[in-house]
Amino acid sequence: MSSSSALEVPFIEVICGYPTREALCCECPALLFLVYEHIVAELQGGRRAYDPFYGTGRQDNLSELLAARSVSEIFERLYPVPPSQLGGAVDAAATAPGETPNSLFWKQARTALEAAWASPYNKEARVLLTQVRGQPHFHFTGPRDDVTPGSGFPLHPVSLERALTTSKRFLRTATTCALDGSTDALKDGQQELRAVLQLARLVPHSSSSTSMQSSKVVTPEGLNFCMVSLQQRWWVLLSAALERALFLARGNGNSAVASTVTKPVLWQLLAVLAVLDTSQYIFAFPDRQQDAAGHHLLARLAEVGLVYPMLSDDRRCFVMSPDFLHALHWHASAPLSLTFTQQLLRSGGGGAAGGGGDVRREDADTIITETNFRLYAYTDDPDLLNILNQFAELEEVVGASLYCYRVTRDSFAAAMRKGITATQVLRFLSLRAHPSMLKRYEERGQPQVASSSGGAGQRRGGRRTAAAAVDAVATLVVPQSFCDQLRMWESECRRVVFEHHVALLRNVSAEQQQAVTLYLTESGEADAIVHAESGYMVLREEVFDRLIAPLLG
């Protein structure tokens, strides 16, 4: 998955866009449960779940689940009333022995949901949610262990806090490197994080430390990374960690490992990690020989700070950072982890009102956007000011924490040359909007939807309705005239577009185009096709080198 697509598509929608998604979910009950949670969350938010197969010949049983208009409709499909209770004639085909693929899917769905809703003391349910293709993962298998798969050892709060502190430090380091355009901020022992940042193109590739210090270039992907929410940044790092896991698995020369460490399997293991009770327990770090996919996944997640390896009674275990759920559910409007609770407890704010701890102003690190293209930033964060300097001109500084900027045609054109788009600027200003702006646009009713090529607004194609609350990921709360002018400037600057890191395939027949498209889609890399027309295809360079070039050689 490219960095740009990782910023746009949530994890569950990536799963729903996979060609054999129904079989993928049936093999992993945890993944099926996550899809159900996603559908319910969308319905509760006043939206319909997005289905990329909607209205096509590829609709399946999952399409029927995604098309549900209410939770009761889901349960009517999961638990249909037997024909005998309806008083009608019983169809012989319905009572015939054996299972069809259609009945198998709904049976698996019922089994997965019942396991997720079962008592925490139900061992069979815990085992089921850890299984991928019938094999449990992340469980202790030593000679002294009789722990049921899905069960772990109690997690000490100190270990959880260390995992959270580590993940925050890694994200801060990645943001610093992206804004600096180099990896100078990394320590000597962080070669793995450097490789991840370069793989995601958040920093330029360099062959030596000397060249890194002499050539600092802020990449478009790096700027985009810093302009999105913290949750989306985690999703970008997690996606890069998956790509690195695939790269290392294929590069070790062991074909058996390469065949087991695939992107669909890694997706399924992510779902298993998401349903494990990692806030209360620690689980086994898989052995490389027994579970190659699980080992590669956790090792790569540890390189970006989402996994905290540790030893417990001479057993290799891991603590999952609460930010892991932020990465998987970055599109959610509410926090899904203990991040904010942990920060509150550490600051002493979890007690009485008179307790200690710093009180954060609600307008800290926020921006007011006016119709005259002026921006008022209430902040003393150098990273936030650095981002504003990319597309606006500083006019005045009032006091120590109020910075006045203005967006001009020249400043935005300079930002366009750096790879920044109008939608990225508008979403950034919406994410950082001052509370007064959010209140104003909530009172006006339905905010405008962010639209860009391939953006969230267009992908849903009218299948969703706007939620009651302002969601800066999908809506814009900046003035309409500001949005229109920025998009007009963008259209003027985009008469000629240059794409970097792409590969051109020439003299490609229609059959070859179809074969390449099918191969990339089945590999989970459909987004790697940048452009296609008669006789030509443009692919992402990294995907071409990894998947297509070996076939041509």
Side-chain angles (χ1 to χ4, degrees), residues 377 379-380 396-404:
T379 183
D380 55 3
E396 187 179 359
V397 179
V398 180
S401 59
L402 176 58
Y403 294 78
C404 304

Side-chain angles (χ1 to χ4, degrees), residues 12-34:
I12 294 300
E13 292 189 8
V14 172
I15 300 300
C16 292
Y18 191 66
T20 57
R21 61 185 188 178
E22 185 175 318
L24 198 70
C25 292
C26 287
E27 294 172 350
C28 180
L31 186 57
L32 199 50
F33 177 65
L34 285 189

Side-chain angles (χ1 to χ4, degrees), residues 5 31 39 209 267 348 431 433 501 542 545:
S5 64
L31 186 57
I39 296 172
S209 59
W267 288 339
L431 284 168
H501 307 291
E542 182 271 330
D545 293 339

Side-chain angles (χ1 to χ4, degrees), residues 103 314 363:
S103 62
D314 296 329
D363 62 352

